[in-house]
Amino acid sequence: MSDSQTTSEDDSDEPYTPLAIEGELPLKAVGIENLKEANPKHMPPHRYIHPWFARRPTPAARLAVLGSIMEEGTSADELLSLMQIGPEDLKENISEYVQERKTTEGERDGTLGDWYGYPRPFTQSPNDEELQQLHDSLRDTWDGELPKVLDATAGGGVIPFESIRYGLPTIANELNPVPSVILKVMLEYAPEVGSLEEDLYKWRDRIQEKASKELDDLYPTKRDGREILASACTYHIQCESCAGTVPLVPKWWLHKRGAGEGTAVKPHYEDGEVSYECVEITKESNSDFDPSDGPVSRSDVECPHCGVITEYEETRELLKNGEFEYQIYGVKYDDPRGGSGYRAGDEIDQQALKRAEELIESDFDLLTFLPEKVEVSSRITDPATYGMEEWRDVFSPRQLVSHYEYCQAFHEIADEIRKEHDDQTSEAVLTILTIAASKMVDRNSRLSSWDTGKGYPNPIFVGSNFSFCRIFCDNNLAADTMGYKDLSRKVIDSYEKLAEMTTGRDAADVHCGDAADLSTTIGTNEVQAAVVDPPYYDSIMYAQLSDIFYTVQKSYLEDIHPDLFASELTNKSDEAVANVSRFEGLEGEKSKKELAKQDYEEKMSSIFSELYETIEPGGVLTIMFTHKETDAWDTLSTSLIESGFTITATHPITSEMPSRAGKRETQSADSTILLTGRKPENERERTGGATLWEDVKEETRDAAKEAARELLDSGLSLTKTDTIIAAFGPTLRVFADNYPVVDKKGNEVPPRDALTAARDAVAEVLSERYLETKGFDDLDGLTRWYVLSWLIYDSDTMPYDEARQLGIGVGVDIDDVKRDTKIWGKSSGDVQLKTHDSRVQDVVRLENGEDVSSRKYPVNPTNERFSHGIDAIHSAIHVYETKGPESAWDWLSDRGMTNDERFRTTVTALLEVLPPEHETAQTLRDMLSGRTGEYLDIDTSSINFNVDTSGESEDGRYQSDASEWT
């Protein structure tokens, strides 16, 4: 297979011109560039301008846009060169060059740019000559006009931004006002207004001057010349037993620089009170103080005075009812004479907090600043659970006063800005300065944790939720470092780079509205290509999470952008996410989860139907989709097919760092799938009627298998799970071509049935490719599911939906077998496979006639026969570990296991998929090595033991002594 994977076929009978995305694409090189862009120190400027969720990499977005408008037959070299990938003087074999550089990347001495011989693509825009050639080619393809590109769910704006960089007429739509503000900056002000550096810094300094004067006495220092940068804060509650003061601190580190070394705060407890001391911890420190041992452990709190435990629920109620005091226990400061450092919180800091509280109580404007109600579901941790019922409550008093003073200073100079600049320039200046103020919230709230590894604040959204922070950060916004000046500098620098990148380009047409109502805004049959990155089912609750930014931006921009900030909070009712919280309290035949799923499906169907209306006949829709759950794919494909699109191609591109932290709960894949559909030139009637599922099932399985084999041979850096997801596209092509599909009773079959068949088919291919075990298909379904789970996920833990779908593929309902087999359990919503320890009854107790709970431990090792091969394996391991090797061999012999083909097949399969260090693998190796006293007659030549194989005999059986395995 070539460097591409696609379902495109010969479309010579189609009246429209096939496009590049429907042919072969240089996926490997683009995937490499995606990973290079993931370096947090060198990301595109739009990533720094303001926080937003799930931005796609520039190379993937460029490929999606260009591939959707350029004619099929565009060479890989031409496409990569246009995408600014490859050295300037290299005109051929660019993909091979990039792959070679990646393979040898570990040998480099200098920067990535030096090693690859060209800068990162996001830093480069096509030159005038390249643009002219591109535009001439596009006009030939699109009837003399440049194709108009639409992103209906634009979010952080990478797709439309790349579109305008290529000089294409572009429309960007977004429902949420927070990213809409980002879009206006990126897509309107940057290309139209251009550089504003001098003006932005001028007005920024005026705001800083006004606000900092008002905040000066709220950040006092203990030594002249020092400036407070940030404070580590916590909560003090009162012990109900002894009335002593209890700090809610899990760990006392301020800056942990290494194992057991760094700066910490040492608490001193006396007469029911707490005081703090800043200490340096080294490996040579002669102290019994452990900074990792705070009063909070597993959410419960132990009183340091009397030892009584306050449980989590009680603590939460105290916080909710306001029965606590804010406490500054650590301070990071800057000293021109000695750099930055740390000190303990002191009475001078508590007095400053008291002054902030008094300011709020005496000022009506402060009392009514950010009064909007918090509307957040428990799914993402509702701040109201901890007493934060209004958005003003997510700030401590000093934080609230700080944000208020900057807002006041902004409004005081706004009229001056308007007098000095034209309308568009003043609007741009005011909006960009607001983004800087909004960005301050990210690291200055009660929801912003303290990063002990770096010694300064974390952003709010380390994960896509509002996690409660027992330790939070209070930034001094007036400080030169880490405050408003520093953050605004980053925003201004980002804007200037965006303006430089779009010099000479036309602005996009930016809309803030419902994507399901687009045609009323932009008309029908107006767009040639839509490229979208749609909301991902229930991965991210965009509106709920963004309200914290929306309320602050509203306090700045309500008069400047009244159309964006007319409502109290963001629009949640029209948002296309599966939000269970919207259906709390509703009773009926369907659960709230089912209602949320139905709501999401209806909204996505409306969006795709509207896209169908806005796209001209023969136009193209390309969807960038990064999701694993079958439900999400089912909804996406159903909406796409029912809207009338014909699926013409799919491509998987590596787009994320594998196993990235904090992403498991989002169900995001490590690859982006480009799924392309065309709007037919003429509405085609389905003259053949419905197709029987039995007639199309094997075709879908064959398509999935073929796709999987091609992907595995392609050299693309895909995980096994992403291989399964990538095979969904070809499967859906077959399903869509035969739509509607019904069962024998005439009931409509949903796309998810085709996806389940695809998952099963790809699992077969993976087992063929990676399991050399003969007879694997003859094993029982539960055992095959257990082995395949290890094979595909390389772990004992996997997403529930994927585990369930994998089970369906091998004929096992994992929910039905859970209680009787205890083969798996829940772990943070995921499926976790169990070992013999949690499943097998104690053989010694059984032989002694003692009662053993068969409900808790369902596998009885004294049985002569086992329904499931995995039960026999776990029983054998239990007997081995409990009674010793010789008893284990007798146990195996008595049951005929030593010559049982299925038992030997299961042993071999497990050894092929389990990590060598896994306890099950270790014991199975012992059985093979003769530690039972005999040797299992199993061919192990296909197994990588990852151990010394010097004792292997000619026939492939291990004959080493016990010391080799210790």
Side-chain angles (χ1 to χ4, degrees):
M1 168 181 163
S2 63
D3 184 15
S4 174
Q5 188 269 327
T6 176
T7 64
S8 180
E9 298 176 355
D10 182 6
D11 292 325
S12 57
D13 60 332
E14 294 289 358
Y16 47 70
T17 303
L19 299 171
I21 204 162
E22 294 166 320
E24 297 180 0
L25 295 176
L27 301 177
K28 294 180 191 174
V30 176
I32 290 168
E33 288 301 329
N34 288 336
L35 296 182
K36 285 167 61 181
E37 189 174 292
N39 186 333
K41 294 182 179 179
H42 303 285
M43 286 186 172
H46 59 75
R47 294 268 186 145
Y48 298 105
I49 200 162
H50 192 276
W52 194 245
F53 310 96
R55 288 182 169 109
R56 298 274 75 83
T58 299
R62 281 189 178 178
L63 183 63
V65 171
L66 293 174
S68 299
I69 57 175
M70 297 180 73
E71 193 170 335
E72 185 180 20
T74 304
S75 71
D77 290 323
E78 182 182 351
L79 192 54
L80 290 173
S81 180
L82 190 58
M83 292 176 64
Q84 312 301 305
I85 296 176
E88 188 174 352
D89 57 351
L90 183 63
K91 302 303 179 185
E92 295 180 348
N93 303 319
I94 298 174
S95 184
E96 290 78 3
Y97 171 85
V98 173
Q99 293 171 60
E100 186 274 333
R101 292 281 90 184
K102 178 64 177 177
T103 302
T104 56
E105 196 175 283
E107 302 172 9
R108 70 182 176 92
D109 293 325
T111 65
L112 277 177
D114 293 335
W115 182 251
Y116 280 84
Y118 59 94
R120 287 180 173 85
F122 76 81
T123 65
Q124 307 297 304
S125 296
N127 58 40
D128 292 341
E129 182 180 354
E130 289 173 321
L131 272 189
Q132 188 60 53
Q133 291 177 354
L134 171 65
H135 290 180
D136 289 344
S137 172
L138 292 177
R139 288 189 177 96
D140 289 341
T141 303
W142 296 93
D143 298 328
E145 300 289 337
L146 288 179
K148 188 178 294 182
V149 177
L150 164 67
D151 185 354
T153 55
V158 63
I159 293 171
F161 185 71
E162 291 308 309
S163 179
I164 66 171
R165 290 178 79 176
Y166 283 88
L168 303 170
T170 304
I171 303 172
N173 179 77
E174 171 57 46
L175 176 67
N176 195 307
V178 173
S180 293
V181 169
I182 301 172
L183 294 175
K184 290 187 78 68
V185 172
M186 291 175 59
L187 307 177
E188 288 186 3
Y189 305 146
E192 283 192 345
V193 181
S195 175
L196 289 168
E197 185 172 18
E198 184 178 341
D199 295 317
L200 287 169
Y201 278 118
K202 170 187 172 181
W203 298 114
R204 186 283 306 269
D205 291 344
R206 291 285 305 281
I207 293 173
Q208 173 73 359
E209 181 183 5
K210 285 179 175 292
S212 60
K213 285 181 181 179
E214 301 297 328
L215 298 176
D216 188 54
D217 66 338
L218 294 185
Y219 292 88
T221 58
K222 298 182 68 175
R223 183 180 297 179
D224 290 343
R226 284 184 176 175
E227 183 180 53
I228 292 179
L229 301 180
S231 302
C233 306
T234 189
Y235 304 91
H236 279 182
I237 62 171
Q238 189 178 67
C239 174
E240 291 188 1
S241 177
C242 70
T245 299
V246 184
L248 300 186
V249 177
K251 297 180 181 180
W252 292 106
W253 291 106
L254 287 178
H255 188 188
K256 189 175 182 181
R257 300 180 183 88
E261 294 188 310
T263 304
V265 168
K266 183 178 182 179
H268 296 283
Y269 305 109
E270 187 175 358
D271 298 328
E273 299 297 325
V274 184
S275 60
Y276 300 105
E277 173 191 4
C278 189
V279 295
E280 287 294 322
I281 306 293
T282 65
K283 292 180 180 178
E284 290 74 32
S285 296
N286 185 18
S287 172
D288 58 358
F289 170 58
D290 181 4
S292 298
D293 185 17
V296 176
S297 177
R298 295 187 178 181
S299 299
D300 294 334
V301 189
E302 180 180 353
C303 176
H305 307 286
C306 69
V308 170
I309 301 294
T310 302
E311 295 184 350
Y312 166 73
E313 290 77 10
E314 299 174 70
T315 304
R316 186 176 59 189
E317 283 301 306
L318 292 174
L319 293 166
K320 185 175 182 179
N321 297 330
E323 298 177 47
F324 66 87
E325 288 186 354
Y326 294 105
Q327 180 70 36
I328 296 173
Y329 71 92
V331 176
K332 181 180 179 68
Y333 64 81
D334 186 61
D335 192 328
R337 295 162 296 188
S340 62
Y342 300 89
R343 65 169 174 81
D346 206 334
E347 183 61 28
I348 190 174
D349 303 300
Q350 295 306 116
Q351 291 173 359
L353 291 184
K354 185 67 175 177
R355 283 195 293 275
E357 291 174 356
E358 292 171 350
L359 280 172
I360 293 173
E361 293 299 324
S362 62
D363 189 323
F364 178 77
D365 288 339
L366 265 168
L367 277 171
T368 56
F369 184 55
L370 308 180
E372 294 84 0
K373 294 289 184 182
V374 172
E375 294 181 357
V376 175
S377 67
S378 57
R379 178 185 181 278
I380 54 176
T381 310
D382 186 355
T385 305
Y386 297 90
M388 306 177 209
E389 297 182 352
E390 297 178 349
W391 283 108
R392 60 184 282 110
D393 299 329
V394 305
F395 305 104
S396 69
R398 190 163 69 170
Q399 290 172 333
L400 186 69
V401 172
S402 297
H403 289 302
Y404 171 79
E405 292 298 347
Y406 275 90
C407 185
Q408 288 300 104
F410 172 89
H411 285 297
E412 287 177 16
I413 70 159
D415 285 340
E416 296 180 48
I417 293 174
R418 290 188 180 97
K419 290 177 182 177
E420 189 163 319
H421 302 286
D422 60 64
D423 289 347
Q424 188 180 36
T425 302
S426 61
E427 181 184 293
V429 170
L430 291 168
T431 303
I432 295 166
L433 292 176
T434 294
I435 280 184
S438 176
K439 193 171 181 176
M440 291 192 299
V441 173
D442 193 34
R443 297 178 189 264
N444 193 51
S445 77
R446 292 169 63 189
L447 304 174
S448 307
S449 61
W450 184 272
D451 187 335
T452 57
K454 297 178 180 177
Y456 59 75
N458 268 322
I460 291 175
F461 299 120
V462 175
S464 298
N465 56 63
F466 289 119
S467 297
F468 175 71
C469 303
R470 293 171 181 82
I471 298 172
F472 65 90
C473 180
D474 180 347
N475 256 5
N476 180 7
L477 302 183
D480 287 343
T481 304
M482 299 174 65
Y484 177 69
K485 286 184 71 173
D486 206 19
L487 286 171
S488 59
R489 174 186 58 78
K490 293 176 181 177
V491 171
I492 294 169
D493 286 352
S494 295
Y495 172 78
E496 290 299 310
K497 289 174 183 175
L498 293 171
E500 182 182 352
M501 290 175 176
T502 54
T503 299
R505 305 296 191 262
D506 291 334
D509 187 7
V510 178
H511 298 272
C512 180
D514 189 353
D517 193 32
L518 268 177
S519 61
T520 59
T521 306
I522 64 177
T524 60
N525 300 330
E526 286 292 320
V527 173
Q528 286 70 49
V531 182
V532 299
D533 179 21
Y536 295 159
Y537 197 59
D538 62 350
S539 290
I540 301 173
M541 300 291 111
Y542 301 92
Q544 291 187 13
L545 295 173
S546 62
D547 273 345
I548 190 169
F549 298 123
Y550 176 86
T551 53
V552 172
Q553 291 183 5
K554 180 182 176 183
S555 68
Y556 281 77
L557 296 174
E558 193 170 14
D559 296 333
I560 299 166
H561 296 296
D563 53 328
L564 297 181
F565 297 96
S567 60
E568 182 177 6
L569 293 170
T570 56
N571 183 346
K572 300 172 185 66
S573 61
D574 292 326
E575 184 179 39
V577 294
N579 187 355
V580 173
S581 67
R582 294 191 60 238
F583 302 93
E584 297 283 356
L586 294 182
E587 296 182 1
E589 294 182 0
K590 294 185 177 180
S591 67
K592 58 186 180 183
K593 183 176 181 180
E594 290 172 326
L595 290 170
K597 180 179 184 293
Q598 179 180 320
D599 182 60
Y600 174 73
E601 289 175 347
E602 290 173 353
K603 286 186 168 67
M604 287 304 299
S605 180
S606 296
I607 289 173
F608 284 124
S609 294
E610 200 69 3
L611 284 169
Y612 190 88
E613 292 297 318
T614 60
I615 295 173
E616 70 174 24
V620 62
L621 167 64
T622 293
I623 305 165
M624 302 179 69
F625 204 60
T626 309
H627 206 289
K628 296 179 184 177
E629 284 199 4
T630 305
D631 277 347
W633 274 92
D634 182 43
T635 299
L636 173 73
S637 50
T638 300
S639 302
L640 190 66
I641 295 167
E642 290 186 347
S643 298
F645 288 100
T646 299
I647 297 175
T648 58
T650 59
H651 301 275
I653 313 174
T654 303
S655 60
E656 310 284 353
M657 294 299 289
S659 304
R660 55 209 186 281
K663 294 296 182 185
R664 174 173 285 278
E665 70 277 7
T666 69
Q667 301 303 336
S668 294
D670 294 323
S671 299
T672 291
I673 307 299
L674 301 183
L675 179 63
T676 298
R678 296 293 286 264
K679 178 177 178 177
E681 285 277 5
N682 302 301
E683 296 292 339
R684 288 182 287 185
E685 296 181 2
R686 299 185 182 276
T687 56
T691 308
L692 274 176
W693 171 234
E694 292 302 315
D695 294 338
V696 76
K697 184 176 181 179
E698 278 309 307
E699 189 179 352
T700 63
R701 287 175 53 83
D702 290 344
K705 284 184 175 182
E706 182 181 358
R709 292 186 179 111
E710 290 182 348
L711 285 165
L712 293 172
D713 293 335
S714 70
L716 292 172
S717 299
L718 298 177
T719 64
K720 297 184 185 76
T721 54
D722 280 353
T723 300
I724 293 175
I725 300 301
F728 282 175
T731 304
L732 292 174
R733 170 70 183 270
V734 172
F735 188 86
D737 286 347
N738 291 279
Y739 187 83
V741 180
V742 297
D743 61 21
K744 291 180 179 178
K745 295 181 179 180
N747 300 316
E748 187 166 333
V749 174
R752 69 177 297 110
D753 286 8
L755 300 178
T756 298
R759 190 183 291 274
D760 177 44
V762 178
E764 286 185 20
V765 172
L766 292 172
S767 65
E768 291 170 3
R769 184 65 60 99
Y770 296 105
L771 289 177
E772 297 187 28
T773 308
K774 295 180 180 179
F776 177 73
D777 290 341
D778 296 329
L779 299 180
D780 62 277
L782 188 70
T783 302
R784 282 192 292 140
W785 175 76
Y786 191 90
V787 173
L788 287 173
S789 296
W790 270 108
L791 170 67
I792 292 170
Y793 301 101
D794 296 316
S795 169
D796 66 353
T797 304
M798 68 214 74
Y800 167 78
D801 182 68
E802 294 183 50
R804 182 171 61 85
Q805 294 297 326
L806 183 62
I808 292 172
V810 295
V812 174
D813 187 324
I814 66 170
D815 292 318
D816 285 351
V817 303
K818 181 183 179 185
R819 181 177 179 179
D820 292 338
T821 67
K822 295 292 190 297
I823 193 72
W824 68 275
K826 280 285 185 78
S827 175
S828 301
D830 290 336
V831 163
Q832 185 172 47
L833 302 176
K834 298 299 184 181
T835 63
H836 64 283
D837 288 335
S838 342
R839 305 185 64 233
V840 183
Q841 299 169 28
D842 189 330
V843 66
V844 175
R845 292 179 60 190
L846 287 171
E847 291 174 346
N848 291 335
E850 298 180 40
D851 184 36
V852 179
S853 172
S854 59
R855 183 170 183 176
K856 186 175 182 181
Y857 300 98
V859 179
N860 186 336
T862 65
N863 286 345
E864 295 296 321
R865 295 287 183 267
F866 297 91
S867 301
H868 309 296
I870 191 63
D871 294 350
I873 295 290
H874 282 169
S875 295
I877 292 172
H878 168 75
V879 173
Y880 182 95
E881 293 184 352
T882 305
K883 300 185 67 177
E886 291 185 9
S887 294
W889 183 259
D890 291 339
W891 184 93
L892 290 167
S893 300
D894 290 345
R895 287 157 181 78
M897 296 291 181
T898 57
N899 296 309
D900 187 288
E901 194 62 38
R902 286 182 300 175
F903 181 80
R904 293 187 296 187
T905 298
T906 306
V907 170
T908 308
L910 283 170
L911 284 171
E912 287 181 324
V913 299
L914 289 172
E917 68 276 7
H918 192 274
E919 58 183 338
T920 298
Q922 291 175 4
T923 304
L924 293 178
R925 286 201 305 267
D926 287 350
M927 291 180 180
L928 292 181
S929 68
R931 287 196 62 188
T932 55
E934 300 287 346
Y935 306 103
L936 280 175
D937 186 18
I938 295 177
D939 182 359
T940 61
S941 58
S942 65
I943 300 171
N944 177 13
F945 282 84
N946 199 28
V947 291
D948 181 13
T949 60
S950 58
E952 187 178 352
S953 67
E954 291 182 0
D955 64 358
R957 285 179 287 189
Y958 280 85
Q959 300 183 16
S960 54
D961 59 28
S963 63
E964 186 175 339
W965 307 103
T966 57

